[in-house]
Structure formats: C-alpha cells, structure tokens
C-alpha cells in the first residue's frame, strides 16, 4: 500500500520531469547551440500532443490500439517537424528579437486554432484513451491495481527513454562536423558562412529537429496525461522551459538536465512543507494582529523560483554549466596547463 | 597593365572583369580587373578606405557586385552565396580577426573543414564507420596544421584567450583546413614586429608550396608585401591606379602621390 503511494506520487513527477527535460534539451539545440531565439517551443510540443490525441480518438482503437499507440510517436514527431519547417523557412530570415516575436506568435496562433476548432475539442480539450492500461488488463489479464502499477512503470521507462534518446541524438549531432557548423553559426554567422556553412540549411535543420523532438515529448505527454487542452501548451509553459535552458547554460546539455531537475523539483519539494510553517510576506496593519500577513511556503514557490533565477543570473550569467558539459572523466583529469604567452606579443 | 606582370600562364584560377560595387551614391570599387594564376602570390595595397577589403568581400560573396563578373576556376560566382564560393576552394582571413572565440583552438580549425565534409546527418547520429573515419581525419589534419602554425601547445585553449599574433596564425590555419585552392589574406602582418613579419613571410611561402595555393594578400606593411609578392595591384578610391612588379609599382607616379609618399620614391 505504502509502496503504491510512493510509486504513483513520485512516478507521476518522474514522468513529467522526463518530458520537461526532453523539451528543454531540444530547445537548447535551437536557442543555446544555434543561437536562434525561439519562444514557440511549447507550440511544437502541443502539435505533437494534439497529433497523438487526434490519432487515438478519431480512429477506432480496440484491437489496433497498441499499434496506433506505437504509431503516435513517429507521427507526432513528423507533424511537429512539418510545423517546424513551415515556421522555420519564413522566420529564419529574421534575427534576434524579431525571430523571438514571430515564434511567440506562432505558438499563440496554434493555441487559438485549438481553442476555436471543434475537431480539436475547443477549449475543453480532447481525452486520450488509456491504451496501455487497457492492453495490460485485457491482453495480459492483470487486475486493476496491477494494471495501474504496470502502466506507471511503463511510462516511467518510456519518459526516461525518450529523454535519454533526445540527449543521445543531440549529443551525437553536436559532436560532429554538423554540430560544429551549428555552433559556428551561433558564434559568428558571417565567418561561418565564409568557411562554407550553409546558413539556411543548418538553421532549418536545427528548427526542424528541435520541433520533431518536442513533438516526441508531446506524444509521451498526451499518452500519459490522457488529456490535451490548449492551456497546457501556453506561453508560460514555454517560458518555464526557456528558463531551464538559460539557467542550465545555453549550450550545455548536462546543465539543462541539472536545471530541469531543480526547477521541476522546487514546487514539488515545497509542497512537503508542514502547514505550521508560515512566512511573513507583507505588512498590512488593517489585517489586525502584528500587521504581518503570513503565507505557507507551499504557496510561495513562484517567489522562490524568481529568487533562484535572480541568484543564478547575478552569480553565473552564463548559466550553471555555461557551455561546458559535466563528465565523470573530467573530474579526475588534471587542469590543462595555462597557455604560454607568445614572445613579443 | 605592365607586360612583365602579365605573363600568360594558362587559365586564371580566379578572374574578375569590370567589377564594381556601389553603396548608395558611393562607388567603393570601380571597374576592378584581376587575374590570379595558379601558384602566384599577388598583393593588393592602397590607402585606408581604398576598397581593398570590399574587393575581398566581393570575391568571397559577402557582397554581390553591382556590375561585372567574377569567376573562380571557370565557375561564375555572380549570384553565389559565400558558402558555395568556399566550396569552390576560396578561403580567407579577416582584417578584424573573426575567430570563434569561445571554441578551443582545435575546434576552430575543425570548423574550417566544413567545405570538405561528406558525412551524412544520419551517419553522425549513429556514429557510422565512415563518419568516424572522417572525424579522425579532420582531427589529424587539424593537429598537423596547428603544428605547422606553431599552435600545438595551445590547442585546448579558448581562441579568444590567445595572443594577437597567435590569433592571426590560427585564422590562417582555419582557412587552410578547408583545403582551399585560393587563399585571401587580409593584413596578415598587422601588429607584427620585424622578426615576426619575416617569419610570416616564410610561412606564407611554405604553405603556398605545400598546399599548392594561389594567394592574394592585402597588406599595409610595405617591406613585407614588396618582399613577398611577384606583382601588386594598387587601389585608391576604389580604382586600380597601378599594377605591376613591386619595382614598377614603387616607381609609378600615381602610387607615390596616393600612397607611398615622397620617401619611397627615392
């Protein structure tokens, strides 16, 4: 019994953390490694989630349920990648702030399309059938509780697997000549182009790949939550992902993972604060008593979030990891010798 | 044009015909003609604002010519983008150094390998055999280039932390990593002392021989450029005012007036 409570509580957060980290990793490719400032990542995530929802609700499931479930992942990636292409090709003529505004607009347009189309369930959203639990109950004949346990463990593995796959794809990409071209674009676009980097090709590649991976995270999310609605993919969700990328370090995958865990865990851990803990928040003499209004730390996670962000920005403006990657091997390696100064220079 | 400077050595690897570039009402380069023949080193000199760097920008596709044609190894580059021209074997360095400052020295040189990369995206993602072979080759060649430029010691250092002279040599190494046929050097000896510019001269001759290069060099340092090149073009206010061997150019009245001053004429 106690085991079940632990499993369902922490399992739930583990799955959502995996989705958040996957999203932040793919956004780091676009914003951190290529230096394209996108604010529309939640849009690609939403496209993937909605694609999954539509696929699993519109088509008759039943026997084909598991097949459709498996199909939802590549199809969501494809749908999001297609959106990435449609948005990327015209928008990548824009730079800096203008690109940020255009991608922000794209995210809001998608959300409004979902709100206003009855096919996508308007603001009510769409429910997604629980393929995994149905399969476990009907095909494997598990009882209800075992099926729920099995489902949670399955999604924990799936979410971790998708995050690991995203990390592997992005790491392998960045450790290749293609990845060097992408970093070169961020550091000096003109110099990169003169060294033979096709700017359009790589920017579109980064956008499309980032969108596809966000779509994959969206498929995991929709299948797990079994419900999609426009407000799950709003601007604030996009900002949270962006904050993870900035805080972890633009150009560091391991930094993104560290910051993702920190930012995801903060409200969860604060929710454990005992009800007797009260923090004085502001002074209002009309309220009686000593005039101080108290709040529980549970309700203050956004304040802690802001403080954390300010501390990181003040102490490490380049993010927790900067552009470095954490590796066990590097911990045991000695520091390289300082560069010898050139004579006469 | 002087006869001595225009010996026919077959087809030019790079030729510009009547190239002009205007910015609004200003003509930065006017009716520029140039033929580069395989294996030669040609100098491009002129006072500040004469249009030398604009010529480089035209030859590498940063600017499109307002008028005229440029062809590289038989290929018209009029509407090509810089990356396409780099693919034809044209590489350059920059007057105001443009290294990737946050990358290490070695990574900078490896970025220079871009025009030669054949690895597919999928190959990179699954670490295919061909991919690993190509990456190993790039790494080996980048290290060789650093060795040659005397930068082996600092290969793991961030490029922005290097001394000025080292940064200039790193730019040359990065340009060479793409195995270009034509190398455009924009003031390689800027900020160098006498001994350093002598070393640089030797280095430029060495890379020309070793990589079978044709080199066009912009330089302010007169003894440096006079000792290095077989022939020179002199630009002033965007117009080519003289062309010929260093001796011819030195004696040309228009050049003396525009650029070298009375002392050089002695």
């Amino acid at each position: 019994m106690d085991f079940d409570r632990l499993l369902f509580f922490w399992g739930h957060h583990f799955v959502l953390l995996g989705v958040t980290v996957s999203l932040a990793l793919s956004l780091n490719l676009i914003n951190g490694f290529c230096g394209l400032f996108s604010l529309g990542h939640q849009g690609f995530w939403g496209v993937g989630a909605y694609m999954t929802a539509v696929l699993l609700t519109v088509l008759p499931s039943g026997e084909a349920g598991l097949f459709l479930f498996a199909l939802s992942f590549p199809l969501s990636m494809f749908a999001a990648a297609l959106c990435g292409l449609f948005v990327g090709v015209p928008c990548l003529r824009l730079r800096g702030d203008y690109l940020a505004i255009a991608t922000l607009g794209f995210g809001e347009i998608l959300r409004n399309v979902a709100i206003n189309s009855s096919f996508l369930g308007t603001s009510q959203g769409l429910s997604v059938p629980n393929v995994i639990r149905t399969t476990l109950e009907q095909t494997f004949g598990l009882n209800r509780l075992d099926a729920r346990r099995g489902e949670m463990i399955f999604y924990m593995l799936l979410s971790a697997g998708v995050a690991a796959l995203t990390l592997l794809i992005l790491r392998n990409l960045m450790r290749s000549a293609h990845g060097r071209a992408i970093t070169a674009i961020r550091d000096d676009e003109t110099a990169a182009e003169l060294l033979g980097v096709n700017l359009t090709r790589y920017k579109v590649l980064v956008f499309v790949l980032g969108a596809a991976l966000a779509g994959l995270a969206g498929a995991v999310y929709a299948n797990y939550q079994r419900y999609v609605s426009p407000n799950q993919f709003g601007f604030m969700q996009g900002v949270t992902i962006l904050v993870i990328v900035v805080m972890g370090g633009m150009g560091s995958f391991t930094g993104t993972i560290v910051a993702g865990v920190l930012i995801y865990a903060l409200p969860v851990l604060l929710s454990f604060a005992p009800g007797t803990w009260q923090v004085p928040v502001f002074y209002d003499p009309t309220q009686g008593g000593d005039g101080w209004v108290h709040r529980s730390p549970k309700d203050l996670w956004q304040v802690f979030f802001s403080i954390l962000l300010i501390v990181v920005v003040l102490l490490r403006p380049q993010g927790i990891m900067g552009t470095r990657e954490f590796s066990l091997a590097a911990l045991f390696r000695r520091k390289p010798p300082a560069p010898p100064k050139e004579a006469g220079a | 044009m002087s006869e001595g400077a225009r010996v026919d050595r077959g087809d030019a690897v790079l030729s510009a015909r009547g190239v002009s570039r205007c910015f609004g009402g200003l003509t930065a380069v006017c009716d520029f003609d140039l033929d580069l023949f395989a294996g030669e080193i040609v100098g491009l000199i002129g006072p500040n604002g004469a249009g030398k760097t604009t010529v480089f920008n035209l030859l590498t596709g940063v600017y499109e010519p307002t008028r005229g044609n440029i062809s590289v190894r038989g290929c018209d580059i009029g509407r090509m983008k810089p990356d396409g021209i780099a693919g034809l074997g044209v590489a350059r360095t920059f007057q105001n150094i443009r290294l990737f400052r946050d990358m290490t020295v070695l990574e900078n040189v490896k970025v220079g390998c871009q025009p030669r990369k054949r690895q597919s995206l999928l190959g990179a993602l699954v670490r295919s055999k061909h991919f690993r072979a190509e990456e190993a080759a790039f790494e080996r060649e980048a290290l060789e280039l650093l060795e040659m430029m005397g930068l082996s010691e600092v290969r793991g250092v961030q490029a922005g932390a290097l001394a000025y002279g080292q940064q200039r040599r790193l730019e040359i190494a990065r340009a060479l990593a793409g195995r270009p046929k034509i190398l455009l050097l924009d003031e390689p000896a800027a900020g160098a002392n006498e001994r350093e510019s002598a070393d640089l001269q030797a280095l430029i001759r060495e890379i020309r021989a070793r990589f079978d290069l044709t080199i066009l060099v912009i330089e302010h340092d007169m003894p440096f450029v006079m000792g290095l090149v077989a022939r020179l073009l002199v630009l002033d206010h965007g117009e080519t005012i003289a062309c010929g061997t260093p001796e011819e150019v030195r004696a040309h009245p228009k050049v003396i007036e525009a650029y070298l001053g009375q002392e050089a004429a002695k």
Side-chain angles (χ1 to χ4, degrees):
Chain A
M1 189 56 212
D2 206 26
F3 166 77
D4 283 335
R5 282 182 64 184
L6 282 177
L7 174 70
F8 291 127
F9 181 81
W10 288 110
H12 173 75
H13 287 302
F14 185 82
V15 173
L16 293 186
L17 173 64
V19 170
T20 308
V21 166
S22 304
L23 277 175
L25 285 172
S26 51
L27 184 65
N28 203 348
L29 172 70
I30 301 174
N31 285 29
F33 285 90
C34 198
L36 304 169
F37 201 82
S38 165
L39 284 176
H41 213 55
Q42 71 279 8
F44 299 126
W45 181 36
V47 168
Y50 266 93
M51 183 71 225
T52 297
V54 168
L55 179 73
L56 290 175
T57 47
V58 171
L59 292 172
S61 49
E63 284 296 300
L66 209 55
F67 172 71
L68 287 180
F69 174 80
L71 194 65
S72 70
F73 297 95
L75 221 56
S76 295
M77 282 180 87
F78 181 73
L82 211 60
C83 274
L85 191 68
F86 279 133
V87 179
V89 171
C91 285
L92 293 173
R93 294 169 173 273
L94 306 170
R95 289 186 188 193
D97 309 348
Y98 301 102
L99 178 67
I101 290 166
T103 50
L104 169 61
F106 154 77
E108 287 303 294
I109 287 168
L110 282 184
R111 208 166 62 82
N112 280 290
V113 166
I115 288 175
N116 289 297
S117 99
S118 55
F119 177 64
L120 297 175
T122 64
S123 54
Q124 302 283 309
L126 291 171
S127 288
V128 182
N130 194 339
V131 178
I132 293 303
R133 199 188 300 175
T134 315
T135 311
L136 286 176
E137 281 178 353
Q138 293 178 356
T139 314
F140 294 93
L142 297 181
N143 64 37
R144 197 170 165 73
L145 181 63
D146 281 343
R148 274 192 71 196
R149 288 173 178 155
E151 181 199 355
M152 183 54 85
I153 292 168
F154 173 83
Y155 276 110
M156 285 168 73
L157 293 174
L158 181 70
S159 179
V162 163
L165 180 72
T166 304
L167 178 65
L168 184 73
I169 288 176
L170 294 177
R171 189 201 78 135
N172 280 3
L173 173 71
M174 293 318 295
R175 288 196 191 168
S176 74
H178 300 291
R180 288 193 290 277
I182 290 167
T183 324
I185 291 175
R186 174 191 67 193
D187 287 359
D188 188 336
E189 219 176 276
T190 311
E193 194 177 20
L194 283 162
L195 287 167
V197 175
N198 186 329
L199 294 184
T200 316
R201 197 176 135 211
Y202 276 103
K203 285 182 175 181
V204 170
L205 168 76
V206 160
F207 229 69
V208 168
L209 183 64
L213 292 171
L216 180 63
V220 176
Y221 182 76
N223 275 313
Y224 174 72
Q225 292 286 54
R226 303 199 308 284
Y227 173 66
V228 291
S229 71
N231 287 336
Q232 289 167 315
F233 310 104
F235 179 56
M236 279 320 292
Q237 280 77 7
V239 168
T240 310
I241 305 164
L242 182 68
V243 166
I244 292 173
V245 171
V246 173
M247 193 185 257
M250 310 262 280
S252 167
F253 292 129
T254 39
T256 297
I257 295 171
V258 170
V261 172
L262 263 180
I263 286 183
Y264 187 89
L266 184 70
V268 178
L269 295 179
L270 281 176
S271 72
F272 285 114
T276 50
W277 288 14
Q278 292 290 312
V279 181
V281 183
F282 56 93
Y283 183 72
D284 183 2
T286 63
Q287 294 294 310
D290 63 351
W292 279 99
V293 178
H294 290 75
R295 287 277 181 279
S296 160
K298 289 179 198 182
D299 305 327
L300 295 175
W301 75 267
Q302 282 166 319
V303 176
F304 287 104
F305 182 83
S306 313
I307 292 171
L308 186 65
L309 194 60
I310 291 169
V311 167
V312 168
V313 166
L314 284 178
L315 296 182
R316 281 191 73 82
Q318 72 276 45
I320 296 169
M321 299 290 288
T323 57
R324 288 161 197 278
E325 297 291 356
F326 174 82
S327 79
L328 284 176
L331 277 184
F332 297 108
R333 208 181 297 143
R334 266 191 260 151
K335 283 188 114 182
K341 282 275 167 268
E342 194 183 18
Chain B
M1 232 176 237
S2 147
E3 284 307 307
R6 280 290 305 270
V7 189
D8 189 23
R9 275 160 289 187
D11 290 334
V13 287
L14 183 150
S15 65
R17 286 282 170 277
V19 174
S20 301
R21 171 71 204 196
C22 310
F23 296 103
L26 176 84
T27 306
V29 172
C30 182
D31 273 336
F32 181 76
D33 288 315
L34 172 71
D35 279 302
L36 281 182
F37 296 98
E40 66 176 347
I41 302 180
V42 175
L44 187 60
I45 62 169
N48 285 328
K52 306 180 294 292
T53 298
T54 307
V55 167
F56 269 28
N57 285 338
L58 287 164
L59 297 179
T60 51
V62 177
Y63 300 146
E64 260 181 37
T66 313
R67 284 185 304 279
N69 297 307
I70 305 169
S71 66
V72 172
R73 299 163 79 192
C75 214
D76 184 39
I77 61 161
R79 296 287 169 274
M80 277 173 83
K81 297 186 101 188
D83 55 282
I85 297 168
L88 286 175
V90 181
R92 68 175 284 184
T93 65
F94 301 88
Q95 181 182 4
N96 46 340
I97 298 171
R98 299 191 83 139
L99 290 169
F100 305 113
R101 300 178 60 85
D102 294 333
M103 293 188 202
T104 65
V105 168
L106 181 60
E107 281 166 347
N108 264 278
V109 181
K110 281 162 124 188
V111 172
C113 296
Q114 287 296 328
R116 295 193 292 137
K117 75 167 187 285
R118 296 287 172 270
Q119 57 187 249
S120 69
L121 197 58
L122 196 66
L125 293 185
V126 301
R127 313 265 115 175
S128 70
K129 200 174 165 189
H130 173 250
F131 165 81
R132 279 179 282 137
E134 188 175 82
E135 287 291 305
F138 285 168
E139 173 107 11
R140 196 174 55 242
E141 286 167 32
L143 288 172
E144 276 171 22
L145 279 169
L146 288 178
E147 179 76 50
M148 203 169 120
M149 294 289 157
L151 295 169
S152 290
E153 296 285 302
V154 292
R155 62 177 175 269
V157 175
Q158 282 197 342
L162 292 186
Y164 190 70
Q166 290 176 317
Q167 292 197 7
R168 289 227 172 264
R169 290 206 299 276
L170 178 55
E171 269 212 327
I172 298 176
R174 186 179 67 175
L176 288 174
R179 286 288 154 80
K181 291 286 163 216
I182 301 157
L183 181 63
L184 311 180
L185 298 171
D186 202 343
E187 299 199 20
N193 63 30
E194 233 169 84
R195 189 178 60 81
E196 283 167 338
S197 52
D199 288 348
L200 190 64
Q201 251 188 27
L203 185 70
I204 292 173
R205 287 183 201 285
E206 190 195 332
I207 60 176
R208 178 192 54 170
R210 186 154 159 191
F211 297 103
D212 206 8
L213 284 171
T214 308
I215 296 173
L216 180 63
V217 54
I218 293 178
E219 192 45 73
H220 271 299
D221 183 338
M222 278 306 120
F224 176 83
V225 77
M226 294 292 187
L228 185 66
V229 304
R231 64 192 177 94
L232 270 171
L233 275 80
V234 188
L235 284 184
D236 190 22
H237 297 298
E239 297 192 26
T240 312
I241 55 169
C243 176
T245 62
E247 292 72 32
E248 287 168 335
V249 166
R250 211 193 290 263
H252 202 289
K254 268 189 177 170
V255 177
I256 298 167
E257 185 189 321
Y259 189 67
L260 294 173
Q262 291 299 324
E263 267 180 65
K266 282 183 212 161

